Amino acid sequence: MPRLTARERREAYQREHDFQVKTGKAFFPYAIFHDTVASLVTVVLIMGMSIIWWADFGPVPDDPEAGRAGGFLGPAYENRADPGTEEYDPRPEWYFFFLFQLLRIFKEPEMLLFATIIIPTLLMVLMMAWPFIDRRPERRVSRRPIAMVLAVATPVALMFLTWEGSKAPAVGAASDHPGAAAFANFQPCGTCHTLADAGTGGTVGPNLDTSNPDYATALAIIADGKGAMPAFKAQGLTDDQLSCLAGYIATWAGAQAGAPGPKAPTAEGYPDSCTAAGPDYAGAGAGG
Amino acid sequence: MAPPIPTPKEVVQIPLDWVEERSGLVSLHKYLLFRNVPKDISWLQTLGSALITTFMIQVVTGILLAMYYHPTADGAFESIRYITDEATLGWLVRGMHKWGSSMFVILLFLHMGRVFLMGSYKYPREMTWLTGAILFQLVMFMSLTGYLLVFDQRAYWASVVAININGTAPILGPFIAEFLKVGPEFSENTLSRFYSLHMLAVPGGIIAMIGLHLYLVIRLGVTSPPWSKHRAKAGDV
Ligand code: HEM
């Protein structure tokens, strides 16, 4: 269909509107019946999900800070938020998984802005602007090839990203080098970073085995954060703990066949800082 | 002379006339209920009212939750525990709010998909789409602010990451991040700010936008699906 003039457009709408009013049926009781059925189905689905969720709850824990387990639809609640330590899972609600997955695809620091800001903003702008971009009057999807492609590609892409995003990063066993256990288990680092020595496979942040930061770089970023990387000084880590993590990364990131990695000489105070940082940091091989 | 005794019909009619004369509300309702909609309207066109229903569920369960919830670092997790484990049917209220939010997002995508497929955003309905797109963003913002309130590990860390991501945006990013955190660091005030946005500010915006959205839908009228045989037969395509 060709573009219409403003007047033709107005008249076409008026004609259609008159036709619908003339030949239509009253909202009440006809259309509202359908609406009520759809609403009831919605309410039943929501209650059904709640009941399935609840039916799988584990026992109420004695520890007032502990989480309560659940089944297939997830726990009733996890452990109480603890800004300091313990393992954690920075995963968002499922409908943000596709954004979360974008973070992993554009994980190089220079590219990260694409995932965090540029792509979501472009999508939002495109959505708002769409009726002003597609102004042809044709409504049948079979005659709107671009719309048809978008209508197929968007859900497929969203579902694919959501599915990929739902898979948790794989985690192996941490070595017993001082700091490895802290990196992998007591701090959330492994959720975002890959580091073979610590057995972690996170992909939100850079792969530390390949980026191989030296001690000073690592220390600054761990303490003060950068981009999506949280600032751990603000999370209450002591100077020894920060230094231990930085020293561990400088020494063991990119390690080959048990020999320390290329930046090992830059590590200051390692592994003594780990011994000073407390038992979670010292690890089995502390001091050696 | 005694006034005549009103008949049963008049007992209803007189107060209605009184209201109608002073407000026009009765004829407005008659118009809303008895206006004609296309004869062969499709089931896909009920998704919008399913969204309204879901929103009402969120409002009602949200009000009930707010009666027990404490937006403080010490109280938040405690009160969620109380609601889930102890309060009568608290699990159901919290469950419906939680799963209602998932349902809301699914319905939002489906409704948007149907409007897109039927080309219902085209002239003269561009503004209807625009108000819908704003609603979409407001609802997503609701999810973001609601997620923290449980204040368990996942809620906390997902919110820290989300705020930090916002902070990486050029120019405005750091301001948005500081606004959400209430200062340079994540603190108890972050929780109250999220709570106030989640249960007061954003729902207010959503209610206003739904009002505008529905006004436009009713004013312009919905169309029958583009594949409507009924219209084709009447030679009206
Ligand atoms: C809180 C969220 C929303 C609510 C409660 C809502 C409600 C409704 C209702 C009740 C209708 C009447 C027809 C139908 O049910 O299909 C409608 C139509 C419409 N909606 Fe929404 N909607 C929402 C979000 C959206 C979004 C996200 C978009 C798109 C970006 C959108 C775009 C439209 C358009 C263009 C129409 C007109 C369709 C026509 O006239 O045939 N809405 N909406």
Side-chain angles (χ1 to χ4, degrees):
Chain A
M1 239 191 280
R3 277 267 184 101
L4 304 177
T5 66
R7 174 146 166 229
E8 282 166 341
R9 216 167 52 165
R10 209 159 40 234
E11 285 172 356
Y13 164 69
Q14 202 55 54
R15 209 169 39 244
E16 197 218 296
H17 189 70
D18 292 345
F19 173 79
Q20 302 288 15
V21 168
K22 196 161 83 254
T23 63
K25 59 188 182 186
F27 178 69
F28 180 90
Y30 302 104
I32 209 168
F33 169 70
H34 285 163
D35 286 343
T36 311
V37 172
S39 295
L40 282 180
V41 171
T42 311
V43 174
V44 168
L45 282 174
I46 294 176
M47 291 184 81
M49 294 285 273
S50 312
I51 292 171
I52 296 174
W53 179 59
W54 167 74
D56 274 347
F57 281 3
V60 177
D62 294 329
D63 176 358
E65 310 237 313
R68 184 172 177 193
F72 155 70
L73 287 181
Y77 42 80
E78 294 190 350
N79 293 345
R80 184 180 185 285
D82 179 355
T85 45
E86 301 301 313
E87 89 294 351
Y88 87 1
D89 185 6
R91 268 200 290 173
E93 189 66 295
W94 66 266
Y95 36 76
F96 287 120
F97 278 177
F98 71 99
L99 284 178
F100 188 63
Q101 183 61 18
L102 277 184
L103 281 184
R104 301 191 190 179
I105 293 175
F106 294 97
K107 58 188 175 222
E108 305 305 325
E110 320 82 65
M111 301 291 282
L112 204 62
L113 211 54
F114 274 96
T116 55
I117 308 294
I118 298 175
I119 293 178
T121 308
L122 282 181
L123 287 178
M124 283 301 139
V125 170
L126 184 65
M127 178 168 142
M128 310 262 283
W130 185 251
F132 307 99
I133 297 173
D134 174 20
R135 299 175 58 188
R136 289 159 61 248
E138 178 59 64
R139 289 178 62 220
R140 277 160 295 189
V141 97
S142 54
R143 306 211 184 151
R144 293 157 58 208
I146 300 180
M148 189 136 74
V149 170
L150 281 177
V152 174
T154 316
V156 169
L158 282 181
M159 282 194 258
F160 175 74
L161 289 173
T162 301
W163 171 248
E164 288 290 306
S166 71
K167 292 192 262 172
V171 177
S175 74
D176 55 11
H177 296 130
F183 184 93
N185 304 328
F186 301 109
Q187 289 296 334
C189 324
T191 326
C192 294
H193 292 291
T194 295
L195 206 171
D197 185 77
T200 65
T203 51
V204 176
N207 176 330
L208 296 173
D209 287 323
T210 47
S211 76
N212 238 312
D214 61 28
Y215 172 80
T217 314
L219 184 63
I221 290 190
I222 300 168
D224 300 326
K226 185 177 175 197
M229 162 87 189
F232 281 87
K233 199 183 182 110
Q235 312 289 357
L237 266 63
T238 64
D239 286 344
D240 282 328
Q241 292 171 338
L242 295 168
S243 166
C244 166
L245 287 168
Y248 167 70
I249 291 170
T251 310
W252 294 108
Q256 297 283 335
K263 296 284 168 48
T266 65
E268 285 166 34
Y270 180 83
D272 299 340
S273 49
C274 293
T275 318
D280 292 346
Y281 288 75
Chain B
M1 229 179 25
I5 297 168
T7 65
K9 193 168 174 224
E10 281 170 339
V11 172
V12 179
Q13 201 55 48
I14 290 169
L16 283 182
D17 285 347
W18 190 94
V19 171
E20 170 65 12
E21 193 180 339
R22 283 158 186 81
S23 65
L25 281 178
V26 176
S27 48
L28 179 66
H29 272 89
K30 277 195 184 143
Y31 170 71
L32 290 180
L33 284 180
F34 300 113
R35 80 201 137 93
N36 272 1
V37 294
K39 195 163 146 194
D40 54 353
I41 203 160
S42 129
W43 277 98
L44 292 174
Q45 282 158 297
T46 60
L47 290 164
S49 29
L51 274 167
I52 297 178
T53 305
T54 315
F55 181 67
M56 291 193 309
I57 291 185
Q58 295 304 91
V59 170
V60 172
T61 53
I63 291 174
L64 291 173
L65 287 173
M67 291 175 180
Y68 294 92
Y69 181 74
H70 304 280
T72 60
D74 293 331
F77 183 74
E78 258 306 293
S79 54
I80 291 290
R81 272 196 64 147
Y82 176 79
I83 292 167
T84 318
D85 301 340
E86 286 169 50
T88 313
L89 289 184
W91 61 270
L92 184 63
V93 174
R94 190 178 152 224
M96 286 182 72
H97 200 73
K98 178 183 164 74
W99 296 107
S101 83
S102 284
M103 185 58 96
F104 209 138
V105 175
I106 293 175
L107 288 172
L108 210 52
F109 275 104
L110 292 179
H111 175 62
M112 225 164 82
R114 101 93 179 129
V115 169
F116 186 83
L117 276 178
M118 292 193 185
S120 305
Y121 53 82
K122 296 182 176 221
Y123 175 87
R125 299 189 176 81
E126 296 95 329
M127 265 181 81
T128 320
W129 174 276
L130 205 59
T131 51
I134 296 172
L135 277 170
F136 179 90
Q137 291 168 30
L138 289 175
V139 171
M140 285 316 219
F141 192 60
M142 284 296 270
S143 322
L144 191 81
T145 48
Y147 203 49
L148 173 66
L149 302 180
V150 177
F151 216 63
D152 60 6
Q153 282 287 68
R154 175 184 286 221
Y156 177 82
W157 288 102
S159 305
V160 170
V161 173
I163 293 180
N164 284 338
I165 287 176
N166 271 304
T168 63
I171 311 169
L172 280 182
F175 294 100
I176 298 175
E178 286 227 346
F179 169 77
L180 288 174
K181 280 187 287 196
V182 199
E185 294 310 332
F186 208 97
S187 69
E188 181 166 81
N189 289 338
T190 317
L191 192 60
S192 357
R193 179 150 303 180
F194 271 47
Y195 185 52
S196 131
L197 290 171
H198 183 81
M199 56 90 78
L200 274 172
V202 188
I206 291 184
I207 289 169
M209 274 296 147
I210 290 183
L212 188 53
H213 196 69
L214 289 184
Y215 168 76
L216 292 169
V217 168
I218 291 168
R219 182 189 153 91
L220 299 170
V222 294
T223 62
S224 44
W227 53 81
S228 163
K229 297 215 173 54
H230 156 64
R231 271 176 70 202
K233 223 183 284 163
D236 183 74
V237 177

